Amino acid sequence: MVSTIRDWARSLGATAMVSILVLMAGDFAAAAEPEAAGENAAAANTAAELEEVLIEGRRVDERMTTTALDAARFGSQVQLISSAEIDTGGFTNFAELANGLIRGANVGYSPDEGEFTIRIDGGSDRDTLLLLDGVPTFDRGTPLEDIWGATSIDPRMIKSVEILRGGQSLYYGGNGGLGVVSVLYKEPSAEQRGEFGVYYGAFKTREVYGNMSFPLSEEGNQSILFYGRAYNTDSNELFEKNAYNDVVLELGGRHPFPYVYQSVGAKYLWNIDETTSLRAAVDYASTDFRDAFPNDHIYNPNYVRFPRLHAEFATVVSDRLNFEAEAFYQAPVLWNSEVDAQVCRIPQSVINPATRRPFTLASEFEAYARANNIPAGCVTNPETDTKADRTSRTGFYVDSQGRLYGTLQNPFPVGAPMGYVIQTVTAFGTGVPNKGFGEGTQFKAGYVEYGANARGKYRFNDNFEFVFGAQTVSSKDNSAPEYGVSDKVIQTNGIYVDLRGNFDFLAGTSISLAARQDFNNLFDDTFIWRGSLRQEFAGGYYLRGSAGTSYNNPRAQELGLFGGTTVNNPTLKTQEVETFALGTGVNGDVLGGTFNIELGYFDTDISNLFGNAAIRDVCPGVDPTRVINPNIITPTEFCAKWQSLGLTPLDNATFNTKAVQQIKGYTFDLSLDIEKWTLDFSFTKQESLEPNPVFGLTAIRANTGQALTSIVPGRAGGEAYRQSGERPEWLASALLTYQPSDRWTIALNPRWQGPEWLYVQNNAARLVDANGERTNPDVNFGDYFVLNASVQYFMGAERQHRLMLRAVNVFDKSYWERGGATDRAVSRAGVRGEITTLNPAYFYTYGFVGKPRSFFLQYEYRF
């Protein structure tokens, strides 16, 4: 059935593409004639479309993009967040905005640390495509760290945010499997105007920002906007003290995690005539923050830079044809330093006579060392310490009596910190340190991405219209040569068509049937399709539905480009996302205002998940002693020629897996807009299931290591699938505003979070006590409620002065934004062998603590 639909869609798409090209050619020719004029008709069409569509119970206006408007007209669930709603939050980054205002949003990682990503409806980082003025922010892969484009967004510059839920890869390409979040910055104005603001509050937070727009011509048809922002904060304490290993604490790993954001940019607008416009923009943002892992990291500053260029052209060719095109270029780069603890360990060159192997327990080694007159620890300075002033020194380099550690007479004890060490070297390149602090030890990582997207909308008559488009996106590594990453270009070229109809014999029915074909140079070509419908009924009731496929692109590391090799699996398929969504609701009038109530359902399957492993564990017959995971889809073409590529059995192979991530859920949304009150409430129940790696595994007796025949107890061992980590089972949010007069705005922004799971490592998950109960259960760090609030007061004859008091976490709720599951490997007890992977105490969990109750003050002057 699916193949039949695909074949039909391919045929339909090809026919429609040819037809629309012919029709467009005719209209372009007609537009070249002096008599051709479609301005009035085009304006009337736009006005009619705006009158037809209600978003959250409110009629939309010209600030909404035509893509989002059409998505709503033809059955997608669309949310529009206005600048007035954004102003109520005083948000300092886009993650705070998403948590507070985007329906079904879940923020990944830790916003207070400086790294975060946006997910909607139970998906992962790669299922929600975030756009900034049309530029994709999805990380294409670097050999150093992920680059999260969401962190580059300036919340003070946001004019609006459009959220298109459901599979949306049709117009935008990959990584829109569960939806698109489109952020639109403010535009230049034909009049001279601007904004200047300051922000100050808890954690030494301080900020200054502003923008200024100027007309460039007397007619006002050309204008330019300049903007900038500087934001600094010490941030709240990310971890409780017990999250740190003792050695990390002794080396000073517990410290503030300051965050610095800066941006500067310009936007140009040329309204060539009433129907044609040209936009261009340049934007440069930077984030400086400290990465954080309290089990072994000491000091890890990160520096990320985001340069972007963007241009857009739009025109109304005739009363039947609209055309728009955009292009972008970006080159994000990252530097970082990562310093870990250097700890004295048991020398592996000393053999335990009893086992004929190196010692595993420090106390046994120390006894042996004393008996054999060898140092019972680590010697870093074989010279005897003779300087008298050593007794005045303090710190981990001296003992309690002031004697210098590391000498033959006084070696560092096993398990003691000795100092710091740069974390890693360039494993794929020259092998030099790459996370140091200067020349020769620190190198940039990043990529270059550029692309263009052009589409035309042809209105055949009042009932039928076509959209035809083409998109190209290319990226390549831009890291320092020391990393040894291939600079081979990853390119996708796509064509798409969308056939739309409004049928007279089905009053109120709008139907869209669409298809897209992508041609990829380093992985398998991809075909996707989408169908959607919206039915309006009497009394404001409506029904919407959509179904189809989207996809998620592989990144550079998944294409085998790390290590300077060519692609190692040319038949690697994109992750396929099959989506189905249904919703029913009502728009109406109440108490002199409007309302919307909607109940929705979504069902998503993500298949062809990416995986990687050594070639000997992927290709049958390479190593007869290895058992191939039956979950792997064998990359047959690669396995037939890996030797000719100069690879070894230990080199990595990338593949697709048979596993399927299953996501389904339902939504309830309520919007109310009456005289002085507005309410936007959203509830999402989501089941985001992933394969459970502990399923069916046998338990291990804690402390003894006895292998039991019983399965790991509870859901951990008994269920084949589990809720995906860091995906809440349900979440709800609301924005309630009250305006007693045009001078005051009071806003409440509550958020409820259901169960959200942190899963311990597999080794820890299998440990059970004498009663057969797990000693290290998984942690539910959800089930909390946080309330944020604000009060705004407008001063001046034109309300040009805005003063806001923002309260975060009003009830001072203690909660985690993110969890971590780790171990005590870098601790005295762990290094000394006093606790091992068989001991429950060896494993532990910790949380990235959310902001405590805090207050901020914002002043903004608009002129």
Side-chain angles (χ1 to χ4, degrees):
M1 180 64 180
V2 172
S3 62
T4 301
I5 294 175
R6 287 181 174 174
D7 292 342
W8 173 83
R10 289 180 196 265
S11 175
L12 178 64
T15 303
M17 289 173 192
V18 174
S19 301
I20 197 170
L21 282 173
V22 173
L23 293 169
M24 287 172 63
D27 276 270
F28 273 115
E33 300 176 8
E35 296 82 11
E39 294 92 345
N40 295 333
N45 288 335
T46 302
E49 291 173 354
L50 292 171
E51 279 297 309
E52 290 173 5
V53 179
L54 295 173
I55 304 296
E56 302 162 31
R58 309 181 187 108
R59 297 202 181 279
V60 300
D61 57 31
E62 289 80 358
R63 291 174 299 174
M64 191 175 188
T65 63
T66 56
T67 303
L69 174 64
D70 288 344
R73 288 174 57 212
F74 291 94
S76 289
Q77 185 179 16
V78 176
Q79 180 188 2
L80 177 63
I81 299 174
S82 68
S83 58
E85 291 171 313
I86 295 170
D87 284 346
T88 64
F91 306 113
T92 60
N93 57 55
F94 190 69
E96 291 182 343
L97 185 154
N99 259 335
L101 299 180
I102 295 180
R103 297 172 173 178
N106 171 235
V107 174
Y109 298 87
S110 173
D112 291 323
E113 175 199 7
E115 290 184 300
F116 55 84
T117 184
I118 310 302
R119 310 159 176 160
I120 60 175
D121 293 342
S124 69
D125 308 326
R126 65 196 320 154
D127 305 319
T128 302
L129 181 60
L130 177 63
L131 303 173
L132 174 56
D133 277 340
V135 180
T137 64
F138 177 71
D139 174 52
R140 299 300 175 182
T142 82
L144 193 59
E145 301 277 349
D146 290 329
I147 296 179
W148 302 119
T151 63
S152 69
I153 296 175
D154 178 0
R156 308 297 178 218
M157 273 297 295
I158 298 176
K159 176 187 70 173
S160 63
V161 182
E162 298 174 346
I163 301 93
L164 285 65
R165 295 168 84 168
Q168 298 292 339
S169 287
L170 182 73
Y171 290 141
Y172 302 102
N175 306 105
L178 286 175
V180 168
V181 176
S182 178
V183 177
L184 302 174
Y185 271 4
K186 297 170 183 176
E187 294 285 340
S189 170
E191 300 176 356
Q192 182 171 311
R193 62 176 59 177
E195 297 173 332
F196 172 79
V198 293
Y199 186 92
Y200 183 81
F203 321 116
K204 298 182 181 179
T205 299
R206 59 272 186 203
E207 173 188 357
V208 60
Y209 64 93
N211 62 77
M212 188 74 184
S213 183
F214 303 89
L216 296 178
S217 62
E218 293 183 1
E219 299 83 2
N221 64 331
Q222 295 188 63
S223 53
I224 192 166
L225 170 71
F226 296 100
Y227 60 90
R229 180 183 184 230
Y231 173 84
N232 293 261
T233 182
D234 283 357
S235 298
N236 55 291
E237 186 168 18
L238 292 183
F239 310 111
E240 298 173 345
K241 188 174 181 179
N242 60 11
Y244 295 88
N245 273 325
D246 52 7
V247 169
V248 175
L249 283 173
E250 292 179 52
L251 289 172
R254 188 187 186 200
H255 49 70
F257 288 86
Y259 175 72
V260 178
Y261 173 95
Q262 298 183 79
S263 71
V264 63
K267 301 188 74 173
Y268 168 77
L269 171 61
W270 180 18
N271 288 314
I272 300 172
D273 56 36
E274 294 182 3
T275 62
T276 305
S277 63
L278 174 67
R279 290 173 168 82
V282 57
D283 181 77
Y284 185 88
S286 68
T287 62
D288 298 348
F289 63 96
R290 297 181 187 177
D291 207 354
F293 294 97
N295 59 311
D296 60 356
H297 288 37
I298 307 300
Y299 178 66
N300 306 329
N302 284 246
Y303 313 96
V304 192
R305 304 294 181 259
F306 299 90
R308 292 191 185 95
L309 299 172
H310 177 251
E312 180 181 350
F313 173 79
T315 186
V316 177
V317 180
S318 71
D319 61 348
R320 296 195 298 176
L321 177 62
N322 295 2
F323 176 79
E324 58 186 28
E326 58 184 341
F328 74 92
Y329 172 91
Q330 61 180 339
V333 291
L334 163 73
W335 298 263
N336 75 348
S337 305
E338 295 205 357
V339 176
D340 289 352
Q342 187 175 32
V343 184
C344 178
R345 299 181 179 274
I346 302 172
Q348 296 298 289
S349 60
V350 180
I351 303 300
N352 185 343
T355 63
R356 300 186 181 276
R357 299 176 65 85
F359 286 92
T360 57
L361 193 61
S363 58
E364 294 179 354
F365 162 73
E366 290 163 346
Y368 176 84
R370 286 191 295 269
N372 290 272
N373 196 30
I374 62 175
C378 297
V379 176
T380 57
N381 179 15
E383 301 297 327
T384 302
D385 179 30
T386 58
K387 294 186 178 180
D389 64 348
R390 294 294 189 195
T391 56
S392 65
R393 296 183 60 190
T394 59
F396 54 84
Y397 290 114
V398 296
D399 61 19
S400 59
Q401 300 177 11
R403 296 177 301 176
L404 184 67
Y405 270 137
T407 64
L408 288 168
Q409 295 77 16
N410 191 34
F412 280 101
V414 175
M418 298 190 299
Y420 312 96
V421 61
I422 297 173
Q423 186 185 75
T424 59
V425 298
T426 54
F428 304 110
T430 59
V432 298
N434 65 322
K435 295 185 178 182
F437 290 91
E439 184 176 350
T441 65
Q442 186 186 63
F443 306 97
K444 77 166 186 176
Y447 59 89
V448 169
E449 183 181 19
Y450 47 92
N453 198 348
R455 69 175 66 96
K457 182 167 73 170
Y458 187 87
R459 186 187 298 272
F460 187 76
N461 55 37
D462 290 341
N463 298 108
F464 293 99
E465 64 185 33
F466 302 85
V467 176
F468 171 78
Q471 183 183 32
T472 180
V473 178
S474 300
S475 64
K476 67 175 183 176
D477 186 77
N478 189 34
S479 304
E482 284 77 6
Y483 290 104
V485 179
S486 170
D487 62 356
K488 196 174 184 68
V489 174
I490 307 169
Q491 187 175 72
T492 294
N493 297 310
I495 53 176
Y496 53 91
V497 63
D498 188 356
L499 286 67
R500 302 167 177 168
N502 299 284
F503 300 100
D504 292 335
F505 60 91
L506 294 173
T509 302
S510 300
I511 297 177
S512 166
L513 297 174
R516 176 180 175 123
Q517 176 68 52
D518 277 358
F519 305 94
N520 308 298
N521 67 330
L522 295 186
F523 50 97
D524 203 22
D525 295 343
T526 305
F527 174 81
I528 62 174
W529 63 273
R530 189 174 192 272
S532 60
L533 174 147
R534 184 180 178 100
Q535 176 66 58
E536 299 286 348
F537 299 101
Y541 292 91
Y542 64 89
L543 176 71
R544 61 166 180 82
S546 63
T549 58
S550 295
Y551 69 95
N552 299 327
N553 297 67
R555 300 196 295 175
Q557 56 267 48
E558 292 155 348
L559 290 171
L561 300 184
F562 284 13
T565 62
T566 56
V567 59
N568 66 5
N569 183 5
T571 59
L572 184 73
K573 295 183 180 298
T574 59
Q575 290 186 356
E576 182 171 316
V577 185
E578 296 186 356
T579 60
F580 170 78
L582 186 68
T584 183
V586 58
N587 294 303
D589 299 325
V590 62
L591 300 176
T594 62
F595 75 92
N596 168 261
I597 300 174
E598 180 176 297
L599 182 65
Y601 172 80
F602 58 90
D603 190 338
T604 302
D605 285 344
I606 305 176
S607 57
N608 292 332
L609 300 177
F610 299 128
N612 64 82
I615 292 174
R616 66 180 185 177
D617 297 321
V618 175
C619 297
V622 175
D623 186 343
T625 66
R626 312 291 292 187
V627 178
I628 304 297
N629 187 335
N631 192 43
I632 293 174
I633 299 175
T634 302
T636 306
E637 182 177 331
F638 166 76
C639 289
K641 66 176 184 179
W642 64 270
Q643 289 176 304
S644 65
L645 298 174
L647 302 175
T648 72
L650 296 180
D651 285 322
N652 261 8
T654 304
F655 49 83
N656 298 111
T657 72
K658 299 175 184 176
V660 177
Q661 183 176 5
Q662 301 169 332
I663 305 173
K664 60 181 61 179
Y666 60 85
T667 61
F668 173 75
D669 299 310
L670 169 65
S671 295
L672 180 66
D673 189 354
I674 56 178
E675 184 180 1
K676 296 181 179 181
W677 296 86
T678 62
L679 170 66
D680 187 277
F681 173 82
S682 176
F683 172 84
T684 301
K685 175 71 172 69
Q686 56 191 23
E687 185 181 73
S688 179
L689 300 182
E690 64 181 8
N692 177 9
V694 187
F695 171 66
L697 298 182
T698 55
I700 297 173
R701 183 77 70 204
N703 299 314
T704 69
Q706 177 188 359
L708 304 178
T709 58
S710 58
I711 301 299
V712 174
R715 298 173 60 184
E719 297 186 2
Y721 289 85
R722 66 186 187 186
Q723 181 77 1
S724 299
E726 298 187 0
R727 309 292 193 282
E729 295 180 11
W730 62 265
L731 61 158
S733 63
L735 176 64
L736 175 65
T737 61
Y738 172 60
Q739 294 181 292
S741 72
D742 63 351
R743 297 287 181 179
W744 291 93
T745 300
I746 302 168
L748 300 178
N749 189 196
R751 182 177 178 85
W752 298 264
Q753 191 109 328
E756 187 170 2
W757 292 96
L758 168 63
Y759 298 107
V760 300
Q761 303 101 313
N762 289 358
N763 288 354
R766 298 176 66 184
L767 297 179
V768 297
D769 59 20
N771 297 320
E773 300 295 329
R774 290 179 62 191
T775 58
N776 298 74
D778 302 317
V779 177
N780 172 18
F781 65 95
D783 287 327
Y784 60 81
F785 168 76
V786 173
L787 175 65
N788 300 323
S790 69
V791 177
Q792 297 180 80
Y793 180 66
F794 295 86
M795 299 170 288
E798 299 179 356
R799 302 171 72 247
Q800 66 269 33
H801 301 278
R802 183 171 70 94
L803 188 66
M804 184 180 73
L805 174 65
R806 180 193 184 200
V808 173
N809 196 357
V810 173
F811 299 121
D812 204 23
K813 174 67 176 178
S814 177
Y815 70 100
W816 292 0
E817 290 182 331
R818 175 190 177 192
T822 186
D823 55 50
R824 301 290 184 187
V826 185
S827 68
R828 272 188 165 78
V831 172
R832 291 179 59 80
E834 295 164 357
I835 55 174
T836 70
T837 55
L838 298 177
N839 305 118
Y842 184 83
F843 303 97
Y844 76 102
T845 58
Y846 64 91
F848 289 70
V849 179
K851 277 190 179 75
R853 181 191 295 126
S854 46
F855 298 93
F856 303 87
L857 190 64
Q858 180 180 9
Y859 167 75
E860 185 175 273
Y861 172 50
R862 298 176 179 176
F863 53 93

